Coordinates of all heavy atoms in Angstrom, one line a residue:
D58 N -0.2 7.5 7.4 CA -1.3 8.4 6.8 C -2.5 7.7 6.5 O -3.6 8.2 6.6 CB -0.7 9.0 5.5 CG 0.5 9.9 5.8 OD1 0.7 10.4 7.0 OD2 1.3 10.3 4.9
E59 N -2.3 6.4 6.0 CA -3.6 5.6 5.7 C -4.3 5.3 7.0 O -5.6 5.3 7.0 CB -3.2 4.3 5.0 CG -2.4 4.5 3.6 CD -3.3 5.2 2.6 OE1 -4.5 5.0 2.5 OE2 -2.7 6.0 1.9
A60 N -3.7 4.9 8.0 CA -4.3 4.6 9.2 C -5.0 5.8 9.8 O -6.2 5.7 10.2 CB -3.2 4.2 10.3
T61 N -4.5 7.0 9.7 CA -5.1 8.2 10.2 C -6.4 8.5 9.3 O -7.4 8.8 9.9 CB -4.1 9.4 10.0 OG1 -3.0 9.1 10.8 CG2 -4.8 10.7 10.4
K62 N -6.3 8.3 8.0 CA -7.4 8.6 7.2 C -8.7 7.7 7.6 O -9.8 8.2 7.7 CB -7.0 8.3 5.7 CG -8.2 8.5 4.7 CD -7.7 8.3 3.2 CE -7.8 6.9 2.9 NZ -7.6 6.6 1.4
Y63 N -8.4 6.4 7.8 CA -9.5 5.5 8.1 C -10.0 5.6 9.5 O -11.1 5.5 9.9 CB -9.2 3.9 7.8 CG -9.1 3.8 6.4 CD1 -7.9 3.8 5.6 CD2 -10.4 3.5 5.7 CE1 -8.0 3.5 4.2 CE2 -10.3 3.3 4.3 CZ -9.2 3.3 3.6 OH -9.1 3.0 2.2
G64 N -9.1 5.9 10.5 CA -9.4 6.2 11.9 C -10.3 7.4 12.0 O -11.2 7.5 12.7
E65 N -10.0 8.5 11.2 CA -10.7 9.8 11.3 C -12.1 9.6 10.7 O -13.0 10.1 11.2 CB -10.0 10.9 10.7 CG -8.8 11.4 11.5 CD -8.0 12.5 10.8 OE1 -8.1 12.7 9.7 OE2 -7.1 13.0 11.5
K66 N -12.2 8.7 9.6 CA -13.5 8.4 9.0 C -14.3 7.6 10.1 O -15.5 8.0 10.3 CB -13.3 7.5 7.8 CG -14.7 7.0 7.2 CD -14.5 6.2 6.0 CE -15.8 5.8 5.4 NZ -15.9 5.0 4.4
G67 N -13.8 6.7 10.8 CA -14.4 6.0 11.9 C -14.9 6.9 13.1 O -16.1 6.8 13.4
L68 N -14.1 7.9 13.3 CA -14.5 8.8 14.5 C -15.5 9.8 14.0 O -16.3 10.3 14.9 CB -13.3 9.6 15.0 CG -12.3 8.7 15.7 CD1 -11.1 9.5 16.2 CD2 -13.0 7.9 16.9
T69 N -15.7 9.9 12.7 CA -16.9 10.8 12.3 C -18.2 10.0 12.4 O -19.3 10.6 12.6 CB -16.7 11.4 10.8 OG1 -16.7 10.2 9.9 CG2 -15.5 12.1 10.6
I70 N -18.1 8.7 12.4 CA -19.3 7.8 12.5 C -19.7 7.8 14.1 O -20.8 7.9 14.5 CB -19.1 6.5 11.9 CG1 -18.8 6.6 10.5 CG2 -20.2 5.5 12.2 CD1 -18.3 5.4 9.7
D71 N -18.6 7.5 14.9 CA -18.8 7.5 16.3 C -17.6 7.9 17.0 O -16.6 7.3 17.1 CB -19.0 6.0 16.8 CG -19.3 5.9 18.2 OD1 -19.2 6.9 19.0 OD2 -19.6 4.7 18.7
S72 N -17.7 9.2 17.5 CA -16.5 9.9 18.2 C -16.1 9.3 19.4 O -15.0 9.6 19.9 CB -16.8 11.4 18.2 OG -17.9 11.6 19.1
K73 N -16.9 8.5 20.0 CA -16.6 7.9 21.3 C -16.2 6.4 21.2 O -16.0 5.8 22.3 CB -17.9 7.9 22.2 CG -18.3 9.3 22.5 CD -19.6 9.3 23.3 CE -19.9 10.7 23.9 NZ -20.2 11.8 22.9
Y74 N -15.9 5.8 20.0 CA -15.6 4.5 19.8 C -14.0 4.3 20.5 O -13.1 4.7 19.8 CB -15.6 4.0 18.4 CG -15.4 2.6 18.1 CD1 -16.1 1.6 18.9 CD2 -14.7 2.2 17.1 CE1 -15.8 0.3 18.7 CE2 -14.4 0.9 16.8 CZ -15.0 -0.1 17.6 OH -14.8 -1.5 17.4
S75 N -14.0 3.8 21.6 CA -12.7 4.0 22.4 C -11.6 3.1 21.7 O -10.4 3.4 21.7 CB -12.9 3.5 23.8 OG -13.4 2.3 23.9
L76 N -11.9 1.8 21.2 CA -10.9 1.0 20.5 C -10.3 1.8 19.3 O -9.1 1.7 19.2 CB -11.5 -0.3 20.1 CG -10.6 -1.4 19.7 CD1 -9.7 -1.7 20.8 CD2 -11.4 -2.7 19.2
L77 N -11.0 2.4 18.6 CA -10.6 3.2 17.4 C -9.8 4.4 17.9 O -8.8 4.6 17.4 CB -11.8 3.7 16.5 CG -11.4 4.2 15.3 CD1 -10.5 3.4 14.4 CD2 -12.7 4.6 14.4
K78 N -10.3 5.1 19.0 CA -9.5 6.2 19.5 C -8.2 5.8 20.0 O -7.2 6.4 19.8 CB -10.4 6.9 20.6 CG -11.5 7.7 20.1 CD -12.5 8.2 21.2 CE -11.8 9.1 22.1 NZ -12.8 9.8 23.0
N79 N -8.1 4.6 20.6 CA -6.8 4.1 21.1 C -5.9 3.8 19.9 O -4.7 4.1 20.0 CB -7.0 2.9 21.9 CG -7.8 3.2 23.3 OD1 -7.8 4.3 23.7 ND2 -8.4 2.2 23.8
N80 N -6.4 3.0 18.9 CA -5.5 2.7 17.8 C -5.1 4.0 17.0 O -4.0 4.1 16.6 CB -6.4 1.8 16.7 CG -6.1 0.4 17.1 OD1 -5.0 0.0 17.6 ND2 -7.1 -0.4 16.8
L81 N -6.0 5.0 17.0 CA -5.5 6.2 16.3 C -4.5 7.0 17.1 O -3.6 7.6 16.6 CB -6.8 7.2 16.1 CG -6.7 8.2 15.1 CD1 -6.1 7.6 13.7 CD2 -8.0 8.8 14.7
Y82 N -4.6 6.9 18.5 CA -3.6 7.5 19.4 C -2.3 6.8 19.1 O -1.2 7.5 19.0 CB -4.0 7.4 20.8 CG -3.0 7.7 21.8 CD1 -2.7 9.1 22.0 CD2 -2.2 6.8 22.4 CE1 -1.6 9.5 22.9 CE2 -1.1 7.1 23.3 CZ -1.0 8.5 23.5 OH 0.1 8.8 24.4
E83 N -2.2 5.4 19.0 CA -1.0 4.7 18.7 C -0.5 5.2 17.4 O 0.8 5.2 17.2 CB -1.3 3.2 18.8 CG -1.5 2.7 20.2 CD -0.5 3.0 21.2 OE1 0.8 2.9 20.8 OE2 -0.8 3.4 22.3
T84 N -1.4 5.4 16.4 CA -0.8 5.9 15.1 C -0.1 7.2 15.2 O 1.0 7.3 14.7 CB -2.1 6.1 14.2 OG1 -2.8 4.8 14.1 CG2 -1.6 6.6 12.9
Q85 N -0.8 8.1 15.9 CA -0.1 9.5 16.0 C 1.2 9.4 16.7 O 2.1 10.0 16.4 CB -1.0 10.5 16.6 CG -2.4 10.6 15.9 CD -2.2 10.8 14.3 OE1 -1.3 11.5 14.0 NE2 -3.1 10.4 13.5
K86 N 1.2 8.6 17.9 CA 2.4 8.4 18.7 C 3.6 7.8 17.9 O 4.8 8.3 17.9 CB 2.2 7.5 19.9 CG 3.2 7.5 21.0 CD 2.8 6.9 22.3 CE 2.8 5.4 22.2 NZ 2.5 4.7 23.3
A87 N 3.2 6.7 17.1 CA 4.3 6.1 16.2 C 4.8 7.0 15.0 O 6.0 7.2 14.7 CB 3.8 4.8 15.6
K88 N 3.8 7.7 14.4 CA 4.1 8.7 13.4 C 5.0 9.8 13.8 O 6.0 10.1 13.1 CB 2.8 9.2 12.8 CG 3.1 10.0 11.5 CD 1.8 10.6 10.9 CE 2.1 11.4 9.6 NZ 1.0 11.8 9.0
S89 N 4.8 10.2 15.1 CA 5.7 11.3 15.5 C 7.1 10.9 15.7 O 8.0 11.7 15.7 CB 5.0 11.9 16.9 OG 5.3 11.0 17.9
K90 N 7.3 9.6 15.9 CA 8.8 9.1 16.2 C 9.3 8.5 14.8 O 10.5 8.2 14.8 CB 8.6 7.9 17.1 CG 8.3 8.3 18.5 CD 8.1 6.9 19.3 CE 7.7 7.3 20.7 NZ 7.3 6.1 21.6
L91 N 8.6 8.5 13.8 CA 9.0 8.0 12.5 C 10.1 8.9 11.9 O 9.9 10.1 11.7 CB 7.8 7.7 11.6 CG 8.2 7.2 10.1 CD1 8.6 5.7 10.4 CD2 7.0 7.3 9.3
Q92 N 11.1 8.2 11.5 CA 12.2 9.0 10.7 C 12.4 8.3 9.4 O 13.1 7.4 9.3 CB 13.5 9.0 11.5 CG 13.3 9.8 12.8 CD 14.6 10.0 13.6 OE1 15.5 9.1 13.6 NE2 14.8 11.2 14.2
P93 N 11.6 8.7 8.4 CA 11.6 7.9 7.1 C 13.0 8.0 6.5 O 13.7 9.0 6.5 CB 10.6 8.6 6.3 CG 9.8 9.5 7.2 CD 10.7 9.8 8.4
D94 N 13.3 6.8 5.8 CA 14.5 6.8 5.1 C 14.3 6.0 3.8 O 13.1 5.6 3.5 CB 15.7 6.1 5.9 CG 15.3 4.7 6.4 OD1 14.3 4.2 5.9 OD2 16.0 4.2 7.2
A95 N 15.3 5.6 3.0 CA 15.0 5.0 1.7 C 14.3 3.6 2.1 O 13.4 3.2 1.3 CB 16.3 4.7 1.0
N96 N 14.7 2.9 3.1 CA 14.1 1.6 3.3 C 12.7 1.7 3.7 O 11.8 0.8 3.4 CB 14.9 0.8 4.4 CG 16.2 0.3 3.9 OD1 16.3 -0.1 2.8 ND2 17.2 0.1 4.8
Y97 N 12.2 2.8 4.5 CA 10.9 3.0 4.7 C 10.1 3.2 3.5 O 9.0 2.5 3.3 CB 10.8 4.2 5.7 CG 9.3 4.7 5.8 CD1 8.5 4.1 6.7 CD2 8.8 5.8 5.0 CE1 7.2 4.4 6.8 CE2 7.5 6.2 5.3 CZ 6.7 5.5 6.1 OH 5.4 5.8 6.2
Y98 N 10.6 4.0 2.5 CA 9.8 4.2 1.2 C 9.8 3.0 0.4 O 9.0 2.6 -0.4 CB 10.3 5.4 0.6 CG 9.9 6.7 1.3 CD1 10.7 7.5 2.1 CD2 8.6 7.0 1.4 CE1 10.4 8.6 2.8 CE2 8.2 8.1 2.1 CZ 9.1 8.9 2.7 OH 8.6 10.0 3.3

Side-chain angles (χ1 to χ4, degrees):
D58 290 343
E59 300 297 322
T61 301
K62 179 175 89 173
Y63 286 99
E65 288 175 348
K66 178 180 179 180
L68 291 179
T69 63
I70 297 166
D71 180 356
S72 63
K73 293 179 173 57
Y74 187 48
S75 59
L76 193 57
L77 186 56
K78 286 169 71 170
N79 292 343
N80 269 329
L81 202 51
Y82 172 77
E83 292 302 319
T84 301
Q85 300 312 323
K86 193 168 80 173
K88 185 177 179 179
S89 72
K90 295 177 183 173
L91 182 68
Q92 296 183 324
D94 58 10
N96 286 332
Y97 170 78
Y98 287 108

